Amino acid sequence: MLLRRPAVARTGPAVCAVEPGRLADLPPGSRATIVGLADGAPPSTARRLADLGFTAGTPVQVVRRAPLRDPVVYRVKDYDLCLRRAQAAHVLIRDAR
Protein backbone atom coordinates (compact mmCIF):
# COMPACT_ATOMS: atom_id res chain seq x y z
CA MET A 1 0.00 0.00 0.00
CA LEU A 2 1.43 3.34 -1.03
CA LEU A 3 0.79 6.25 1.24
CA ARG A 4 1.07 9.82 0.13
CA ARG A 5 1.44 12.89 2.19
CA PRO A 6 -1.29 15.45 1.61
CA ALA A 7 -0.21 18.49 -0.33
CA VAL A 8 0.46 21.51 1.86
CA ALA A 9 -0.16 24.97 0.49
CA ARG A 10 2.64 27.39 1.21
CA THR A 11 1.56 30.90 1.87
CA GLY A 12 4.85 32.56 2.70
CA PRO A 13 8.57 32.08 3.09
CA ALA A 14 9.74 28.89 4.77
CA VAL A 15 10.40 29.31 8.47
CA CYS A 16 13.14 27.32 10.10
CA ALA A 17 11.59 25.41 12.99
CA VAL A 18 14.88 24.16 14.40
CA GLU A 19 15.50 25.43 17.89
CA PRO A 20 19.00 26.72 18.60
CA GLY A 21 21.11 24.55 20.87
CA ARG A 22 23.20 25.49 23.89
CA LEU A 23 26.98 25.78 23.77
CA ALA A 24 27.23 23.84 27.04
CA ASP A 25 25.70 20.76 25.37
CA LEU A 26 28.40 20.35 22.69
CA PRO A 27 30.94 17.55 23.13
CA PRO A 28 34.70 18.21 22.75
CA GLY A 29 35.80 18.53 19.11
CA SER A 30 32.44 19.94 17.98
CA ARG A 31 32.02 23.16 16.01
CA ALA A 32 29.03 25.46 15.76
CA THR A 33 28.00 28.99 14.95
CA ILE A 34 26.80 31.34 17.66
CA VAL A 35 23.24 32.59 17.19
CA GLY A 36 23.09 34.88 20.21
CA LEU A 37 22.59 34.85 23.94
CA ALA A 38 19.63 33.40 25.81
CA ASP A 39 16.99 35.80 27.10
CA GLY A 40 17.52 34.67 30.69
CA ALA A 41 21.21 35.57 30.80
CA PRO A 42 22.07 38.02 33.58
CA PRO A 43 23.14 41.38 32.09
CA SER A 44 26.64 41.19 33.57
CA THR A 45 27.16 37.68 32.14
CA ALA A 46 25.76 38.70 28.74
CA ARG A 47 28.08 41.70 28.63
CA ARG A 48 31.11 39.61 29.59
CA LEU A 49 30.32 36.93 27.00
CA ALA A 50 29.94 39.59 24.30
CA ASP A 51 33.25 41.19 25.37
CA LEU A 52 34.94 37.79 25.05
CA GLY A 53 33.70 37.42 21.45
CA PHE A 54 30.59 35.26 21.87
CA THR A 55 28.60 37.30 19.37
CA ALA A 56 26.11 36.24 16.70
CA GLY A 57 27.67 34.71 13.59
CA THR A 58 30.95 33.81 15.28
CA PRO A 59 32.20 30.22 14.80
CA VAL A 60 33.11 28.39 17.99
CA GLN A 61 34.84 25.07 18.68
CA VAL A 62 34.91 22.98 21.85
CA VAL A 63 38.60 22.27 22.45
CA ARG A 64 38.58 20.19 25.64
CA ARG A 65 36.75 19.59 28.85
CA ALA A 66 38.09 19.23 32.41
CA PRO A 67 37.93 15.73 33.94
CA LEU A 68 34.83 16.61 35.97
CA ARG A 69 33.21 18.18 32.83
CA ASP A 70 33.61 21.75 34.06
CA PRO A 71 35.13 24.14 33.00
CA VAL A 72 35.39 23.78 29.21
CA VAL A 73 37.91 25.37 26.81
CA TYR A 74 36.41 26.98 23.69
CA ARG A 75 38.14 28.41 20.63
CA VAL A 76 36.59 31.70 19.50
CA LYS A 77 38.13 34.08 16.97
CA ASP A 78 41.52 32.26 16.98
CA TYR A 79 42.00 32.25 20.74
CA ASP A 80 41.17 29.78 23.47
CA LEU A 81 39.20 30.68 26.56
CA CYS A 82 37.65 28.80 29.42
CA LEU A 83 34.02 28.99 30.55
CA ARG A 84 31.96 27.32 33.22
CA ARG A 85 29.03 25.25 31.94
CA ALA A 86 26.63 27.66 33.62
CA GLN A 87 28.02 30.54 31.54
CA ALA A 88 28.17 28.49 28.32
CA ALA A 89 24.50 27.53 28.78
CA HIS A 90 23.58 31.16 28.00
CA VAL A 91 25.18 30.97 24.52
CA LEU A 92 22.81 29.78 21.76
CA ILE A 93 24.27 27.94 18.76
CA ARG A 94 23.26 26.39 15.44
CA ASP A 95 24.89 24.24 12.77
CA ALA A 96 26.59 22.03 15.35
CA ARG A 97 28.80 19.36 13.78
Side-chain angles (χ1 to χ4, degrees):
M1 183 169 151
L2 180 62
L3 297 177
R4 288 185 157 190
R5 289 185 179 176
V8 177
R10 295 189 178 210
T11 57
V15 175
C16 182
V18 177
E19 292 283 326
R22 303 278 176 158
L23 183 61
D25 297 333
L26 287 181
S30 299
R31 297 171 188 260
T33 302
I34 297 171
V35 175
L37 300 176
D39 290 336
S44 60
T45 300
R47 174 66 189 198
R48 182 68 177 150
L49 289 170
D51 288 346
L52 290 172
F54 290 93
T55 55
T58 303
V60 62
Q61 178 184 4
V62 182
V63 177
R64 66 180 170 272
R65 182 174 284 160
L68 296 177
R69 301 181 46 104
D70 198 23
V72 179
V73 177
Y74 298 97
R75 182 164 294 141
V76 179
K77 297 183 177 180
D78 295 331
Y79 61 91
D80 293 349
L81 54 93
C82 191
L83 287 181
R84 295 274 179 204
R85 285 181 55 85
Q87 297 165 326
H90 295 298
V91 180
L92 302 177
I93 56 161
R94 65 174 166 80
D95 299 335
R97 54 184 189 275

Coordinates of all heavy atoms in Angstrom, one line a residue:
M1 N 0.8 -1.2 0.0 CA 0.0 0.0 0.0 C 0.9 1.2 0.0 O 1.8 1.4 0.8 CB -0.9 0.0 1.2 CG -1.8 1.1 1.3 SD -3.0 0.7 2.6 CE -3.4 2.3 3.1
L2 N 0.6 2.1 -0.9 CA 1.4 3.3 -1.0 C 0.7 4.5 -0.4 O -0.5 4.7 -0.6 CB 1.6 3.6 -2.5 CG 2.4 4.9 -2.8 CD1 3.8 4.8 -2.3 CD2 2.5 5.1 -4.3
L3 N 1.4 5.1 0.5 CA 0.8 6.3 1.2 C 1.4 7.5 0.7 O 2.6 7.6 0.4 CB 1.0 6.2 2.7 CG 0.4 5.0 3.4 CD1 0.8 5.0 4.9 CD2 -1.1 5.0 3.3
R4 N 0.6 8.5 0.6 CA 1.1 9.8 0.1 C 0.8 10.9 1.2 O -0.3 10.8 1.9 CB 0.4 10.2 -1.1 CG 0.8 9.5 -2.3 CD 0.2 10.1 -3.5 NE 1.0 9.7 -4.7 CZ 0.8 10.2 -5.9 NH1 -0.2 11.1 -6.1 NH2 1.5 9.8 -6.9
R5 N 1.7 11.8 1.3 CA 1.4 12.9 2.2 C 0.5 13.9 1.5 O 0.6 14.1 0.3 CB 2.7 13.6 2.5 CG 3.6 12.8 3.4 CD 4.8 13.7 3.7 NE 5.7 12.9 4.6 CZ 6.8 13.4 5.1 NH1 7.3 14.5 4.7 NH2 7.6 12.6 5.9
P6 N -0.4 14.5 2.2 CA -1.3 15.4 1.6 C -0.5 16.7 1.2 O 0.5 17.1 1.9 CB -2.3 15.8 2.7 CG -1.7 15.3 4.0 CD -0.7 14.2 3.6
A7 N -0.9 17.3 0.1 CA -0.2 18.5 -0.3 C -0.5 19.6 0.7 O -1.6 19.8 1.2 CB -0.7 18.9 -1.7
V8 N 0.6 20.4 0.9 CA 0.5 21.5 1.9 C 0.7 22.8 1.1 O 1.7 22.9 0.4 CB 1.5 21.4 3.0 CG1 1.4 22.6 3.9 CG2 1.3 20.1 3.8
A9 N -0.3 23.7 1.2 CA -0.2 25.0 0.5 C 0.8 25.9 1.3 O 0.7 26.0 2.5 CB -1.5 25.6 0.4
R10 N 1.7 26.5 0.6 CA 2.6 27.4 1.2 C 2.1 28.8 0.9 O 1.9 29.2 -0.2 CB 4.0 27.2 0.7 CG 4.6 25.9 1.1 CD 6.0 25.8 0.7 NE 6.5 24.5 1.2 CZ 7.7 24.2 1.5 NH1 8.6 25.2 1.5 NH2 8.0 23.0 1.9
T11 N 2.1 29.5 2.0 CA 1.6 30.9 1.9 C 2.6 32.0 2.1 O 2.4 33.1 1.9 CB 0.4 31.1 2.9 OG1 1.0 30.9 4.2 CG2 -0.7 30.2 2.6
G12 N 3.8 31.6 2.5 CA 4.8 32.6 2.7 C 6.2 31.9 2.7 O 6.3 30.8 2.3
P13 N 7.2 32.6 3.1 CA 8.6 32.1 3.1 C 8.7 31.0 4.1 O 8.0 31.0 5.1 CB 9.5 33.3 3.5 CG 8.6 34.3 4.1 CD 7.2 34.0 3.5
A14 N 9.5 30.0 3.8 CA 9.7 28.9 4.8 C 10.4 29.4 6.1 O 11.2 30.3 6.1 CB 10.6 27.9 4.1
V15 N 9.9 28.9 7.2 CA 10.4 29.3 8.5 C 11.1 28.1 9.1 O 10.6 27.0 9.1 CB 9.2 29.7 9.4 CG1 9.8 30.0 10.8 CG2 8.5 30.9 8.8
C16 N 12.3 28.4 9.5 CA 13.1 27.3 10.1 C 12.6 27.0 11.5 O 12.6 27.9 12.3 CB 14.6 27.7 10.2 SG 15.7 26.5 10.9
A17 N 12.2 25.8 11.7 CA 11.6 25.4 13.0 C 12.6 24.8 13.9 O 12.2 24.4 15.0 CB 10.4 24.4 12.8
V18 N 13.9 24.8 13.6 CA 14.9 24.2 14.4 C 15.2 25.1 15.5 O 15.6 26.3 15.3 CB 16.1 23.8 13.6 CG1 17.2 23.3 14.5 CG2 15.8 22.8 12.5
E19 N 15.2 24.6 16.7 CA 15.5 25.4 17.9 C 17.0 25.5 18.0 O 17.7 24.5 17.7 CB 14.9 24.8 19.2 CG 13.4 24.8 19.2 CD 12.9 26.1 19.6 OE1 13.6 26.8 20.4 OE2 11.8 26.5 19.2
P20 N 17.6 26.7 18.4 CA 19.0 26.7 18.6 C 19.4 25.9 19.8 O 18.6 25.7 20.8 CB 19.3 28.2 18.8 CG 18.0 28.8 19.2 CD 16.9 27.9 18.6
G21 N 20.6 25.3 19.8 CA 21.1 24.6 20.9 C 21.9 25.4 21.9 O 22.0 26.6 21.7
R22 N 22.4 24.8 22.9 CA 23.2 25.5 23.9 C 24.7 25.1 23.7 O 25.0 23.9 23.5 CB 22.7 25.1 25.3 CG 21.3 25.4 25.6 CD 21.1 26.8 25.9 NE 19.6 27.1 26.1 CZ 19.2 28.1 26.8 NH1 20.0 28.9 27.4 NH2 17.9 28.3 26.9
L23 N 25.5 26.0 23.9 CA 27.0 25.8 23.8 C 27.4 24.8 24.8 O 28.3 23.9 24.5 CB 27.8 27.1 23.9 CG 29.3 27.0 23.8 CD1 29.6 26.5 22.4 CD2 29.9 28.4 24.0
A24 N 26.8 24.8 26.0 CA 27.2 23.8 27.0 C 26.9 22.4 26.7 O 27.5 21.5 27.3 CB 26.5 24.2 28.3
D25 N 26.1 22.1 25.7 CA 25.7 20.8 25.4 C 26.6 20.1 24.3 O 26.5 18.9 24.0 CB 24.3 20.7 24.9 CG 23.3 21.2 26.0 OD1 23.6 21.0 27.1 OD2 22.2 21.7 25.6
L26 N 27.5 20.9 23.7 CA 28.4 20.3 22.7 C 29.5 19.5 23.3 O 30.1 19.9 24.3 CB 29.0 21.5 21.9 CG 28.2 22.3 20.9 CD1 29.0 23.3 20.3 CD2 27.5 21.3 19.9
P27 N 29.8 18.4 22.7 CA 30.9 17.5 23.1 C 32.3 18.1 22.6 O 32.3 18.9 21.6 CB 30.7 16.2 22.5 CG 29.8 16.4 21.3 CD 29.0 17.7 21.6
P28 N 33.4 17.7 23.2 CA 34.7 18.2 22.7 C 34.9 17.8 21.3 O 34.6 16.7 20.9 CB 35.7 17.5 23.7 CG 34.9 17.3 24.9 CD 33.5 17.0 24.5
G29 N 35.5 18.7 20.5 CA 35.8 18.5 19.1 C 34.7 19.1 18.2 O 34.9 19.2 17.0
S30 N 33.6 19.4 18.8 CA 32.4 19.9 18.0 C 32.7 21.4 17.6 O 33.4 22.1 18.3 CB 31.1 19.9 18.8 OG 30.9 18.5 19.1
R31 N 32.0 21.8 16.5 CA 32.0 23.2 16.0 C 30.6 23.6 15.8 O 29.7 22.8 15.5 CB 32.7 23.3 14.7 CG 34.2 22.9 14.8 CD 34.8 22.9 13.3 NE 36.1 22.3 13.4 CZ 37.2 23.1 13.3 NH1 37.1 24.4 13.2 NH2 38.4 22.6 13.3
A32 N 30.4 24.9 15.9 CA 29.0 25.5 15.8 C 29.2 26.9 15.5 O 30.3 27.5 15.5 CB 28.2 25.2 17.0
T33 N 28.0 27.6 15.2 CA 28.0 29.0 15.0 C 27.1 29.6 16.0 O 26.0 29.1 16.3 CB 27.4 29.3 13.6 OG1 28.2 28.7 12.6 CG2 27.4 30.8 13.3
I34 N 27.6 30.7 16.6 CA 26.8 31.3 17.7 C 25.6 32.1 17.1 O 25.8 32.9 16.1 CB 27.7 32.3 18.5 CG1 28.8 31.5 19.2 CG2 26.9 33.1 19.5 CD1 29.9 32.3 19.8
V35 N 24.4 31.9 17.6 CA 23.2 32.6 17.2 C 23.0 33.8 18.0 O 22.6 34.9 17.5 CB 22.0 31.7 17.3 CG1 20.7 32.4 17.0 CG2 22.2 30.5 16.4
G36 N 23.3 33.8 19.3 CA 23.1 34.9 20.2 C 23.1 34.4 21.6 O 23.6 33.3 21.9
L37 N 22.6 35.2 22.5 CA 22.6 34.8 23.9 C 21.2 34.6 24.4 O 20.2 35.2 23.8 CB 23.2 36.0 24.8 CG 24.7 36.2 24.4 CD1 25.2 37.4 25.3 CD2 25.6 35.0 24.7
A38 N 21.0 33.7 25.3 CA 19.6 33.4 25.8 C 19.0 34.6 26.5 O 19.7 35.4 27.1 CB 19.7 32.2 26.8
D39 N 17.7 34.7 26.5 CA 17.0 35.8 27.1 C 17.2 35.9 28.6 O 17.2 36.9 29.2 CB 15.5 35.7 26.8 CG 15.2 36.0 25.3 OD1 16.0 36.7 24.7 OD2 14.2 35.5 24.9
G40 N 17.4 34.7 29.2 CA 17.5 34.7 30.7 C 18.9 34.9 31.2 O 19.1 34.8 32.4
A41 N 19.8 35.3 30.3 CA 21.2 35.6 30.8 C 21.3 36.8 31.6 O 20.7 37.9 31.2 CB 22.1 35.7 29.6
P42 N 21.9 36.8 32.8 CA 22.1 38.0 33.6 C 22.8 39.1 32.8 O 23.7 38.7 32.0 CB 22.9 37.6 34.8 CG 22.7 36.1 34.9 CD 22.5 35.6 33.5
P43 N 22.5 40.3 32.9 CA 23.1 41.4 32.1 C 24.7 41.4 32.2 O 25.4 41.6 31.2 CB 22.5 42.7 32.6 CG 21.2 42.3 33.2 CD 21.4 40.9 33.8
S44 N 25.2 41.2 33.4 CA 26.6 41.2 33.6 C 27.3 40.0 32.8 O 28.3 40.2 32.2 CB 27.0 41.2 35.1 OG 26.5 40.0 35.7
T45 N 26.6 38.8 32.9 CA 27.2 37.7 32.1 C 27.1 37.9 30.6 O 28.0 37.6 29.9 CB 26.4 36.4 32.5 OG1 26.5 36.2 34.0 CG2 26.9 35.2 31.8
A46 N 25.9 38.4 30.2 CA 25.8 38.7 28.7 C 26.8 39.7 28.2 O 27.4 39.5 27.2 CB 24.4 39.2 28.5
R47 N 27.1 40.7 29.0 CA 28.1 41.7 28.6 C 29.5 41.1 28.6 O 30.2 41.3 27.6 CB 28.1 42.9 29.6 CG 29.1 43.9 29.4 CD 28.9 44.6 28.1 NE 30.1 45.5 27.9 CZ 30.1 46.5 27.0 NH1 29.0 46.7 26.4 NH2 31.1 47.2 26.9
R48 N 29.8 40.3 29.6 CA 31.1 39.6 29.6 C 31.3 38.6 28.4 O 32.3 38.6 27.8 CB 31.3 38.9 30.9 CG 32.6 38.2 31.1 CD 33.7 39.2 31.2 NE 35.0 38.6 31.5 CZ 36.1 39.0 31.1 NH1 36.2 40.2 30.5 NH2 37.2 38.4 31.3
L49 N 30.2 37.9 28.1 CA 30.3 36.9 27.0 C 30.5 37.7 25.7 O 31.3 37.3 24.8 CB 29.1 36.0 27.0 CG 29.0 35.0 28.1 CD1 27.6 34.4 28.1 CD2 30.0 33.9 27.9
A50 N 29.8 38.8 25.5 CA 29.9 39.6 24.3 C 31.4 40.2 24.2 O 32.0 40.2 23.2 CB 28.9 40.7 24.3
D51 N 31.9 40.6 25.4 CA 33.2 41.2 25.4 C 34.3 40.1 25.0 O 35.3 40.4 24.4 CB 33.6 41.8 26.7 CG 32.8 43.1 27.0 OD1 32.3 43.7 26.1 OD2 32.8 43.5 28.2
L52 N 34.0 38.9 25.4 CA 34.9 37.8 25.1 C 34.8 37.3 23.6 O 35.6 36.5 23.2 CB 34.7 36.6 26.0 CG 35.1 36.8 27.5 CD1 34.6 35.7 28.3 CD2 36.6 37.0 27.6
G53 N 33.8 37.8 22.9 CA 33.7 37.4 21.5 C 32.6 36.5 21.1 O 32.4 36.0 20.0
F54 N 31.8 36.1 22.1 CA 30.6 35.3 21.9 C 29.4 36.1 21.3 O 28.5 36.4 22.0 CB 30.2 34.6 23.2 CG 31.1 33.5 23.6 CD1 32.1 33.8 24.5 CD2 31.1 32.2 23.1 CE1 33.1 32.9 25.0 CE2 32.0 31.3 23.5 CZ 33.0 31.6 24.5
T55 N 29.6 36.5 20.0 CA 28.6 37.3 19.4 C 28.0 36.5 18.2 O 28.6 35.6 17.7 CB 29.3 38.6 18.8 OG1 30.4 38.2 18.0 CG2 29.7 39.5 20.0
A56 N 26.8 36.9 17.8 CA 26.1 36.2 16.7 C 27.0 36.1 15.4 O 27.6 37.1 15.0 CB 24.8 37.0 16.4
G57 N 26.9 35.0 14.8 CA 27.7 34.7 13.6 C 29.1 34.2 13.8 O 29.8 33.9 12.8
T58 N 29.6 34.2 15.0 CA 31.0 33.8 15.3 C 31.1 32.3 15.4 O 30.3 31.7 16.1 CB 31.4 34.4 16.6 OG1 31.3 35.8 16.5 CG2 32.9 34.0 16.9
P59 N 32.0 31.7 14.6 CA 32.2 30.2 14.8 C 32.9 29.9 16.1 O 33.7 30.7 16.6 CB 33.1 29.8 13.6 CG 33.4 31.1 12.9 CD 32.8 32.2 13.6
V60 N 32.5 28.8 16.7 CA 33.1 28.4 18.0 C 33.4 26.9 17.9 O 32.7 26.1 17.3 CB 32.2 28.7 19.2 CG1 30.8 28.0 19.0 CG2 32.8 28.5 20.5
Q61 N 34.5 26.5 18.6 CA 34.8 25.1 18.7 C 35.1 24.7 20.1 O 35.7 25.5 20.9 CB 36.1 24.8 17.9 CG 36.6 23.4 17.9 CD 37.9 23.2 17.2 OE1 38.5 24.1 16.7 NE2 38.3 22.0 17.1
V62 N 34.6 23.5 20.5 CA 34.9 23.0 21.9 C 36.3 22.3 21.8 O 36.4 21.3 21.1 CB 33.8 22.0 22.3 CG1 34.1 21.5 23.7 CG2 32.4 22.6 22.2
V63 N 37.2 22.8 22.5 CA 38.6 22.3 22.5 C 38.8 21.1 23.4 O 39.2 20.0 23.0 CB 39.6 23.4 22.8 CG1 41.0 22.8 22.8 CG2 39.5 24.5 21.8
R64 N 38.5 21.3 24.7 CA 38.6 20.2 25.6 C 37.8 20.5 26.9 O 37.4 21.7 27.1 CB 40.0 19.9 26.0 CG 40.7 21.0 26.7 CD 42.2 20.7 27.1 NE 42.9 21.8 27.6 CZ 43.5 22.7 26.8 NH1 43.5 22.6 25.5 NH2 44.1 23.7 27.4
R65 N 37.6 19.5 27.7 CA 36.8 19.6 28.8 C 37.6 19.1 30.0 O 38.3 18.1 29.9 CB 35.5 18.8 28.7 CG 34.5 18.8 29.8 CD 33.2 18.1 29.4 NE 32.5 19.0 28.5 CZ 31.5 18.5 27.7 NH1 31.2 17.3 27.7 NH2 30.9 19.4 26.9
A66 N 37.4 19.7 31.2 CA 38.1 19.2 32.4 C 37.6 17.9 32.8 O 36.5 17.5 32.4 CB 37.9 20.2 33.5
P67 N 38.3 17.1 33.6 CA 37.9 15.7 33.9 C 36.5 15.6 34.6 O 35.8 14.7 34.4 CB 39.0 15.3 34.9 CG 40.2 16.1 34.5 CD 39.7 17.4 34.1
L68 N 36.2 16.6 35.3 CA 34.8 16.6 36.0 C 33.8 17.4 35.1 O 32.8 17.8 35.6 CB 34.9 17.2 37.4 CG 35.8 16.4 38.3 CD1 35.8 17.0 39.7 CD2 35.2 14.9 38.5
R69 N 34.1 17.6 33.8 CA 33.2 18.2 32.8 C 33.0 19.7 33.0 O 32.2 20.3 32.4 CB 31.8 17.5 32.8 CG 31.9 16.0 32.5 CD 30.6 15.4 32.5 NE 29.6 16.2 31.7 CZ 29.2 15.9 30.5 NH1 29.6 14.8 29.9 NH2 28.3 16.6 29.9
D70 N 33.8 20.3 33.9 CA 33.6 21.7 34.1 C 34.9 22.3 34.7 O 35.4 21.7 35.6 CB 32.4 22.0 35.0 CG 31.9 23.4 34.9 OD1 32.1 24.1 33.9 OD2 31.3 23.9 35.9
P71 N 35.5 23.3 34.1 CA 35.1 24.1 33.0 C 35.5 23.5 31.6 O 36.1 22.4 31.6 CB 35.9 25.4 33.2 CG 37.1 25.0 33.9 CD 36.7 23.8 34.8
V72 N 35.2 24.2 30.6 CA 35.4 23.8 29.2 C 36.2 24.9 28.5 O 35.9 26.1 28.7 CB 34.0 23.5 28.5 CG1 34.3 23.1 27.1 CG2 33.2 22.5 29.3
V73 N 37.1 24.4 27.6 CA 37.9 25.4 26.8 C 37.3 25.5 25.4 O 37.0 24.5 24.8 CB 39.4 24.9 26.7 CG1 40.2 25.8 25.8 CG2 40.0 24.8 28.1
Y74 N 37.0 26.7 25.0 CA 36.4 27.0 23.7 C 37.4 27.8 22.9 O 38.1 28.6 23.4 CB 35.1 27.8 23.9 CG 34.0 27.0 24.6 CD1 33.9 27.3 26.0 CD2 33.2 26.1 24.0 CE1 32.9 26.6 26.7 CE2 32.3 25.4 24.7 CZ 32.1 25.7 26.1 OH 31.2 25.0 26.8
R75 N 37.4 27.6 21.5 CA 38.1 28.4 20.6 C 37.2 29.3 19.9 O 36.3 28.9 19.2 CB 38.9 27.5 19.6 CG 39.8 28.4 18.7 CD 40.8 27.5 18.0 NE 41.7 27.0 19.0 CZ 42.2 25.8 19.0 NH1 41.9 25.0 18.0 NH2 43.1 25.4 19.9
V76 N 37.4 30.7 20.1 CA 36.6 31.7 19.5 C 37.5 32.7 18.9 O 38.4 33.2 19.6 CB 35.7 32.4 20.6 CG1 34.9 33.5 20.0 CG2 34.8 31.4 21.2
K77 N 37.3 33.0 17.6 CA 38.1 34.1 17.0 C 39.6 33.9 17.2 O 40.4 34.8 17.5 CB 37.7 35.5 17.5 CG 36.3 35.8 17.1 CD 35.9 37.2 17.6 CE 34.5 37.5 17.2 NZ 34.1 38.8 17.5
D78 N 40.1 32.6 16.9 CA 41.5 32.3 17.0 C 42.2 32.4 18.4 O 43.4 32.5 18.5 CB 42.3 33.1 16.0 CG 41.9 32.8 14.5 OD1 41.5 31.6 14.3 OD2 42.0 33.7 13.7
Y79 N 41.4 32.3 19.4 CA 42.0 32.2 20.7 C 41.2 31.3 21.6 O 40.0 31.1 21.3 CB 42.2 33.6 21.4 CG 40.9 34.4 21.6 CD1 40.2 34.3 22.8 CD2 40.4 35.3 20.7 CE1 39.1 35.0 23.1 CE2 39.3 36.0 20.9 CZ 38.6 35.8 22.1 OH 37.5 36.5 22.3
D80 N 41.8 30.7 22.6 CA 41.2 29.8 23.5 C 40.8 30.5 24.8 O 41.6 31.3 25.3 CB 42.1 28.6 23.8 CG 42.4 27.7 22.6 OD1 41.7 27.9 21.5 OD2 43.3 26.9 22.6
L81 N 39.6 30.2 25.3 CA 39.2 30.7 26.6 C 38.4 29.6 27.3 O 37.8 28.7 26.7 CB 38.4 32.0 26.4 CG 37.3 32.1 25.5 CD1 36.0 31.8 26.3 CD2 37.2 33.4 24.9
C82 N 38.3 29.8 28.6 CA 37.6 28.8 29.4 C 36.4 29.4 30.0 O 36.4 30.5 30.5 CB 38.7 28.5 30.5 SG 38.2 27.0 31.5
L83 N 35.3 28.6 30.0 CA 34.0 29.0 30.6 C 33.5 27.9 31.4 O 33.7 26.7 31.1 CB 33.0 29.3 29.5 CG 33.1 30.5 28.6 CD1 31.9 30.5 27.6 CD2 33.1 31.7 29.4
R84 N 32.7 28.3 32.4 CA 32.0 27.3 33.2 C 30.7 26.9 32.4 O 30.2 27.7 31.6 CB 31.5 27.9 34.5 CG 32.6 28.3 35.5 CD 33.0 27.1 36.3 NE 34.1 27.4 37.1 CZ 34.9 26.4 37.6 NH1 34.7 25.2 37.3 NH2 35.9 26.7 38.4
R85 N 30.2 25.7 32.7 CA 29.0 25.2 31.9 C 27.8 26.2 32.2 O 27.0 26.4 31.2 CB 28.7 23.8 32.4 CG 29.6 22.8 31.8 CD 29.2 21.4 32.3 NE 27.8 21.1 31.9 CZ 27.4 20.6 30.8 NH1 28.2 20.4 29.8 NH2 26.1 20.3 30.6
A86 N 27.7 26.8 33.3 CA 26.6 27.7 33.6 C 26.7 28.9 32.7 O 25.6 29.4 32.3 CB 26.6 28.1 35.1
Q87 N 27.9 29.4 32.4 CA 28.0 30.5 31.5 C 27.8 30.1 30.1 O 27.1 30.8 29.3 CB 29.4 31.1 31.7 CG 29.7 31.7 33.1 CD 31.2 32.0 33.3 OE1 32.0 31.3 32.7 NE2 31.4 33.0 34.0
A88 N 28.3 29.0 29.7 CA 28.2 28.5 28.3 C 26.7 28.2 28.0 O 26.3 28.2 26.8 CB 29.0 27.3 28.1
A89 N 25.9 27.9 29.0 CA 24.5 27.5 28.8 C 23.7 28.7 28.3 O 22.6 28.6 27.7 CB 23.9 27.0 30.1
H90 N 24.3 29.9 28.5 CA 23.6 31.2 28.0 C 23.8 31.5 26.5 O 23.2 32.3 25.9 CB 24.0 32.4 28.8 CG 23.6 32.3 30.3 ND1 22.3 32.2 30.7 CD2 24.3 32.2 31.4 CE1 22.2 32.2 32.0 NE2 23.5 32.2 32.4
V91 N 24.8 30.7 25.9 CA 25.2 31.0 24.5 C 24.4 30.0 23.6 O 24.4 28.8 23.8 CB 26.7 30.8 24.3 CG1 27.0 31.0 22.8 CG2 27.5 31.7 25.2
L92 N 23.6 30.6 22.7 CA 22.8 29.8 21.8 C 23.6 29.5 20.5 O 24.3 30.5 20.0 CB 21.5 30.5 21.5 CG 20.6 30.8 22.7 CD1 19.4 31.6 22.2 CD2 20.2 29.6 23.4
I93 N 23.5 28.3 19.9 CA 24.3 27.9 18.8 C 23.4 27.3 17.7 O 22.3 26.8 18.0 CB 25.4 27.0 19.1 CG1 24.8 25.7 19.9 CG2 26.5 27.6 20.0 CD1 25.7 24.6 19.9
R94 N 23.9 27.2 16.5 CA 23.3 26.4 15.4 C 24.4 25.8 14.6 O 25.5 26.1 14.7 CB 22.4 27.3 14.6 CG 23.1 28.3 13.8 CD 22.2 29.1 12.9 NE 22.8 30.3 12.4 CZ 23.7 30.3 11.4 NH1 24.1 29.2 10.8 NH2 24.3 31.5 11.0
D95 N 24.0 24.9 13.7 CA 24.9 24.2 12.8 C 26.0 23.5 13.5 O 27.1 23.5 13.1 CB 25.6 25.2 11.8 CG 24.6 25.9 10.9 OD1 23.5 25.4 10.7 OD2 24.9 27.0 10.5
A96 N 25.6 22.8 14.6 CA 26.6 22.0 15.3 C 27.0 20.8 14.5 O 26.2 20.1 13.9 CB 26.0 21.6 16.7
R97 N 28.3 20.5 14.5 CA 28.8 19.4 13.8 C 30.1 18.9 14.5 O 30.7 19.5 15.2 CB 29.1 19.7 12.3 CG 30.0 20.8 12.1 CD 30.2 21.2 10.6 NE 31.2 22.1 10.5 CZ 31.0 23.4 10.5 NH1 29.8 23.9 10.8 NH2 32.0 24.3 10.3

